Amino acid sequence: MNNTILPKADDLTASDVRAQTLSLWKTSAAWISAHWLQVLIAIGIGVLIFLAMHFVKSLGQRLCNRDRSGTGWYTVFGRAIAKTGNFFIVMTSAELVAGIGDAPYQVAAIVRFLFTVAAVFQGAIWAREFILGAIEHRTAASEEHGQTLANAMGLIRLFVTFALFAIALIMILGNLGVNVSGLIAGLGVGGIAIGLAAQSIFADLFAAIAIIFDRPFRRGDAITYDKSAGTVEYIGMRSTRIRGANGEERVIGNKKLLDFEIVNNSRREYRRVVFTLGITQTTPVKQLEELPHLLKQIVEDHGQKFVRAGFAAFTATAYEFDLEFDSPTAVFQDMYDARHSIGVAIIKRFQEEGIALVYPAQTGISAADAGVTWPTRTKPRRAADDKIAPPPSSGDRSVGDQDATG
């Protein structure tokens, strides 16, 4: 049994290094001379493995070329394969050669250590490329975020790279017998300290990433949040800029914005209008029965979608009827014009039919004493094509909810 004591790292001198190198050289030479046939066969197999792995690496670029979108799964796997390093390929071949050729312990240990280092770091590279590729694939439809997505991907790449290579380094140090518990604890404490110091920054940052991935709205969408509304102009890493209906620019932190309920008006299929009509209590029941059909006719005459109309409630001064109809587009101006035209048409039609709307206040005199003449029907029902024209407007075709600009 060899009881030779190896020199400590602090006592290691240049002569010791030369002696160990010479010993390794002699051992390797003796192994090669004694097993030259096995070594040649192993080298041949190693060369074949090296060429095969380079061929597989070249397939990665071919997979990328097959994907025209540049963000599909072919590209995700292709980029990962193409990132296979030459050092990993060489050490994989050497590890197989050392195993087949029955290499001596010193040579096998060195090859095994270098192969472990290469394999761990190569695994980290593959994982990084696959994770980043999967994220890009998920956000492929978010090109409108432009610079925001580019900045986000830069930060995500930094975080993923740091995390994976930190894990790889810890694994290698652990494989060498180093006590890594202190290092892991230090990294954890450092991460907590940084997180607490930049809590608001990271909150807005991750909110921006959530907006990009989940896509509750995009640039150009008209949204309503809290008591405000406007059109999204820019989604940054910390804040979102929104152009209000009055021309003002609003800047709100991403986290705060996501805390609100967000109504995306750009994804509306229609806009609903609700009228509550107070009918005087002296109106004949026959007219009350016909009222929903009359309101439906007015709505359809103006090209809108009738939803429902009917009796809603008794009040101290009136019978209330509700009318609901839909403007068939998300454009605010279309709804605004329809609301105006149908509202005026209802007033005009009620005057023709002798239906009176309740007054906002009560007085202690009779209608006759006040000189008020009740509306009476003066002409037959209106033709279907006799519509109330919409009011003049700027022609704004946006879908922004301009009723909520507080």
Side-chain angles (χ1 to χ4, degrees), residues 298-305 326 328 387:
I298 294 173
V299 170
E300 293 178 346
D301 286 351
H302 288 78
Q304 306 303 303
K305 182 181 179 182
D326 294 337
K387 303 177 183 177

Side-chain angles (χ1 to χ4, degrees), residues 15 19 36 54 74 80 89 121 132 164 168 190 264 272 354 360 372 385:
S15 59
W36 61 270
H54 261 286
Y74 281 124
I89 295 176
F121 280 107
L132 295 176
L164 291 176
N264 193 326
R272 179 157 296 181
V372 176
D385 58 352

Side-chain angles (χ1 to χ4, degrees), residues 309-354:
F311 184 85
F314 292 100
T315 68
T317 59
Y319 301 139
E320 288 190 350
F321 278 72
D322 280 347
L323 167 64
E324 298 180 21
F325 64 91
D326 294 337
S327 176
T329 70
V331 178
F332 181 85
Q333 189 64 46
D334 288 349
M335 182 276 293
Y336 189 92
D337 292 343
R339 185 174 62 186
H340 166 83
S341 300
I342 293 176
V344 175
I346 290 173
I347 296 172
K348 193 170 184 179
R349 188 65 175 273
F350 278 17
Q351 291 178 353
E352 296 169 358
E353 297 289 342

Side-chain angles (χ1 to χ4, degrees), residues 223 225 230-233 240-244 248-250 252:
I223 65 171
Y225 61 96
T231 301
V232 178
E233 287 192 340
T240 296
R241 290 173 173 81
I242 301 172
R243 183 69 60 181
E248 75 281 6
E249 181 183 67
R250 297 189 176 125
I252 182 171

Side-chain angles (χ1 to χ4, degrees), residues 274-293:
V274 179
F275 285 152
T276 298
L277 307 172
I279 310 300
T280 58
Q281 295 176 344
T282 57
T283 305
V285 175
K286 183 64 174 178
Q287 286 184 313
L288 295 178
E289 291 178 346
E290 295 178 353
L291 187 56
H293 303 283

